[in-house]
Amino acid sequence: MNIKKFFNNIFNIYLSNIDKNLYSPLLILSILVFLTIFIHLVFWILNYTFTNNLWIHGSNPITLDKLLSPGIDGGYFEHFQYIILFWNFLLSIYVVIRSKLFAAFSVPIINLFLFLDDSLSIHDQFSPDKITSHFNNYFVGSNLANFIRLKDIIEISYWSLFLFIFLILSIPIIFTKSRHSKNFLKINILNYGILAFFGIGVDLFNANIIKYFNFDLFLQKFIYNIFFLIEECGELGVISLIFIWLFGLSCTNKYLLTKK
């Protein structure tokens, strides 16, 4: 039996009732889905190899009902976010290569970093427990402690380093004549800014709100949960909109195709 002919017949059965204009989007979506299955297997093997040390939260005990919570690391909500971030990384690579937007190569790199940082909780490994006691004591006794936590300062420093690296990687955009590369990078910077508003700004405000306002316990918990949902839903919402935008760019033949 001709194997190639056999598989062609299988594909024809699946595609016989589908508009040919959808072939390209279906191919892109298929690649995303199967690469997602593959990356899950890769992480499983790596996690087994490193005996649960790869993921800082990997050994945390949790009941299944807690997986429904939007803020649980590795929960259904968060895991869906990991997948969308992975897809954003893959799609940004495809858009940059297909459209020859090489001056904006920093975008796929940053998307990869965001995926790895979120899925492996890399930023959580920089905790106040690892800061020297001298610095910790100095911070507790300072006026700054009345407005912000030490953990927040560490995270701000972490993301500031991330921003610095992103700016360094984006330097080639200054010298390029590609209008599309500049436009692509500008839109991504806007996306990252909105994402930072929810992921860093809202989170920081919510974590320290009791320092700013004198609420009773019930109202404090209520307001915390409101801002918690704004943060989590806002973050996933922005990431999802980025995916939809990148998927649209990947499927179109009329935008970001020529290097000018």
Side-chain angles (χ1 to χ4, degrees):
M1 177 183 288
N2 189 318
I3 296 179
K4 182 177 180 180
K5 185 177 180 180
F6 170 77
F7 280 106
N8 283 336
N9 290 335
I10 295 294
F11 289 137
N12 288 333
I13 292 173
Y14 279 105
L15 299 176
S16 60
N17 296 318
I18 297 176
D19 189 332
K20 289 184 179 180
N21 292 325
L22 296 177
Y23 283 8
S24 177
L26 281 175
L27 176 61
I28 294 172
L29 183 59
S30 299
I31 293 173
L32 293 177
V33 169
F34 285 104
L35 282 179
T36 302
I37 296 173
F38 175 73
I39 199 67
H40 276 82
L41 292 174
V42 169
F43 275 135
W44 171 62
I45 293 171
L46 289 174
N47 189 62
Y48 180 81
T49 303
F50 290 98
T51 60
N52 295 324
N53 290 326
L54 183 65
W55 187 30
I56 191 173
H57 302 299
S59 58
N60 291 352
I62 187 172
T63 56
L64 292 179
D65 64 311
K66 297 297 183 184
L67 293 174
L68 293 168
S69 173
I72 294 294
D73 289 298
Y76 299 135
F77 200 90
E78 285 277 321
H79 192 75
F80 178 67
Q81 182 168 297
Y82 305 157
I83 292 174
I84 299 298
L85 283 169
F86 179 58
W87 287 0
N88 288 350
F89 159 62
L90 295 175
L91 289 174
S92 60
I93 287 180
Y94 177 68
V95 170
V96 166
I97 293 177
R98 190 197 67 163
S99 302
K100 299 180 180 178
L101 308 177
F102 302 120
F105 73 95
S106 59
V107 173
I109 294 176
I110 295 305
N111 285 338
L112 174 62
F113 176 79
L114 289 174
F115 162 64
L116 293 175
D117 175 81
D118 205 22
S119 59
L120 297 178
S121 302
I122 296 175
H123 59 276
D124 287 337
Q125 299 187 34
F126 298 91
S127 63
D129 299 336
K130 298 180 180 180
I131 303 297
T132 63
S133 58
H134 175 74
F135 182 82
N136 198 352
N137 293 334
Y138 173 79
F139 174 79
V140 172
S142 67
N143 292 327
L144 189 59
N146 296 324
F147 300 95
I148 196 172
R149 302 172 304 172
L150 180 58
K151 180 179 184 296
D152 298 321
I153 292 180
I154 295 171
E155 287 205 11
I156 291 173
S157 301
Y158 175 83
W159 290 113
S160 296
L161 178 61
F162 163 84
L163 175 62
F164 177 74
I165 294 173
F166 174 67
L167 293 175
I168 293 296
L169 292 176
S170 300
I171 287 178
I173 208 72
I174 299 174
F175 305 100
T176 184
K177 296 181 180 179
S178 171
R179 176 173 54 86
H180 294 313
S181 291
K182 293 180 179 180
N183 186 43
F184 182 66
L185 184 62
K186 285 178 182 177
I187 296 174
N188 276 283
I189 290 175
L190 176 62
N191 291 335
Y192 297 146
I194 300 173
L195 185 60
F197 169 77
F198 288 104
I200 302 175
V202 175
D203 177 56
L204 190 149
F205 177 78
N206 197 29
N208 296 280
I209 195 170
I210 59 174
K211 297 178 183 289
Y212 312 141
F213 305 100
N214 187 21
F215 297 128
D216 60 62
L217 188 61
F218 173 80
L219 188 57
Q220 183 184 120
K221 188 173 183 179
F222 176 77
I223 293 176
Y224 174 84
N225 287 330
I226 291 295
F227 277 98
F228 168 75
L229 287 175
I230 291 174
E231 177 200 347
E232 296 297 336
C233 293
E235 196 172 344
L236 180 56
V238 173
I239 290 170
S240 298
L241 288 174
I242 293 173
F243 162 72
I244 293 169
W245 174 64
L246 287 172
F247 187 76
L249 292 182
S250 301
C251 297
T252 185
N253 292 317
K254 298 180 180 180
Y255 184 58
L256 290 174
L257 286 177
T258 57
K259 185 178 181 181
K260 294 183 179 180

